[in-house]
Amino acid sequence: MTKILSLLPVKPLMRFRCVNKFYNTLISDPHFIQMHLKNSARNPNLMVIARQHNFNSFDENVLNLPISLLLENSLSTVPYDPYYRLKNENPHCPWLFAGSCNGLICLCLDIDTSHGSRLCLWNPATRTKSEFDLASQECFVFAFGYDNLNGNYKVIAFDIKVKSGNARSVVKVFSMRDNCWRNIQCFPVLPLYMFVSTQNGVYFSSTVNWLALQDYFGLDYFHLNYSSITPEKYVILSLDLSTETYTQLLLPRGFNKVSRHQPKLAVLMDCLCFGHDYEETYFVIWQMKDFGVQSSWIQLFKITYQNFFSYYCDFARESKWLDFLPLCLSKNGDTLILANNQENEAFIYNRRDDRVEKIGITNKNMLWFEAWDYVESLVSTH
């Protein structure tokens, strides 16, 4: 019976918990929660915020989109669920996505300059959440992930300060288990979050990863001149959430020129991936088959921009209008969903017939470039 129950969606399981003490104990058991999470991961979703700016406030709704239906391009207008509407105390600032892991979503909100930031840990499936603050006058950026070794969810907060032309970082960690913030070692290299603002940390297998820049001393971090930066200066900065130590990972050797659009990190088919423009002609995606090993990079896709130009008018048929982020990949590795940051839209690319199709969802103001992976779970927010 336990195995059968672990295959059910969260909603009926929450109802079963109310039937009697036996069901409540079973469904609340950590082993059952992990079994259910493993089964739920077979049916992944993509969450996208639809954000409307109404004069002095933001109207934000989260859309939960099954990846199987996205790959079929069978969705048109997606109804808004009132429960998935984001509300906040500061009408002038929207909720920002910090990370998603095991069915938990971490959102952050600037309260004001004197009170710091509010963070919300939300489980949409169980309709539970917890909120906590980081009282500080610093402008922190947040990331979120799971420490597999110690079974602990953690929020990473960092800020970059520039003094006398040199930049340094302040890094803090919030432990859900200990319910407290503490400082950890500062970054050995600086993440390029200012220039890849939607990528404030990519979670992968108990690590959080950022694109970063080596040898930044002497550079004006907030006004970088990319024409003077070579590909060799780029690394992936990886924070191990278990040991809270850093590793610098080298990028594929095929990345040999810096484009007008910054490269991107993503997780596809349970591997860390790296995407970049190539000669303003192709979008290339590399996959790191063995995490941390540079020689394990393989080229996964090389997609010509010509495939996308038919969706744009004549003046927009240039590579500068194409700034891609890979969102998800089908199980067989043939069908890819990408977001275009320049036009705030998403495409499906099929490798077998080298064909591109624009996703037909008609909801307005969808922030595809800020979409994140999501699976239903029973994981607690406390």
Side-chain angles (χ1 to χ4, degrees), residues 268 273-275 283-287 298-301 326 336 338:
L268 303 173
C273 293
F274 171 73
F283 183 68
V284 178
I285 301 175
W286 300 82
Q287 183 184 63
I298 63 167
Q299 191 176 108
L300 195 62
F301 286 93
L336 175 72
L338 308 100

Side-chain angles (χ1 to χ4, degrees), residues 9 19 47 87 89 98 120 126 187 201 223 230-231 253 255 261 292 301 303 305 312 355 368 378 381:
V19 172
M47 280 199 160
K87 301 177 182 180
E89 301 171 9
C120 174
T126 61
F187 290 143
H223 301 89
T230 60
R253 294 183 178 91
F255 174 55
H261 298 308
F301 286 93
I303 308 170
Y305 293 146
Y312 299 102
R355 181 173 56 87
W368 285 103
L378 294 160
T381 57

Side-chain angles (χ1 to χ4, degrees), residues 45-152:
N45 300 273
L46 203 65
M47 280 199 160
V48 185
I49 292 179
R51 179 180 295 152
Q52 178 69 43
H53 191 188
N54 300 318
F55 297 103
N56 295 322
S57 65
F58 289 92
D59 186 14
E60 298 178 288
N61 292 276
V62 177
L63 297 175
N64 186 16
L65 310 173
I67 287 178
S68 59
L69 298 183
L70 281 175
L71 291 169
E72 295 171 359
N73 206 8
S74 59
L75 297 172
S76 53
T77 301
V78 181
Y80 294 119
D81 184 334
Y83 174 71
Y84 283 64
R85 186 171 184 269
L86 299 179
K87 301 177 182 180
N88 64 63
E89 301 171 9
N90 187 347
H92 304 294
C93 293
W95 282 101
L96 300 176
F97 172 69
S100 174
C101 180
N102 296 343
L104 297 184
I105 296 167
C106 184
L107 301 169
C108 57
L109 175 72
D110 287 333
I111 304 172
D112 57 52
T113 54
S114 59
H115 291 86
S117 302
R118 171 150 302 160
L119 290 106
C120 174
L121 205 58
W122 177 37
N123 185 327
T126 61
R127 302 201 169 194
T128 56
K129 66 178 182 178
S130 61
E131 294 187 353
F132 49 97
D133 293 345
L134 175 56
S136 174
Q137 294 184 359
E138 298 174 89
C139 298
F140 281 103
V141 178
F142 298 93
F144 175 67
Y146 181 62
D147 171 359
N148 291 334
L149 182 63
N150 300 299
N152 189 14

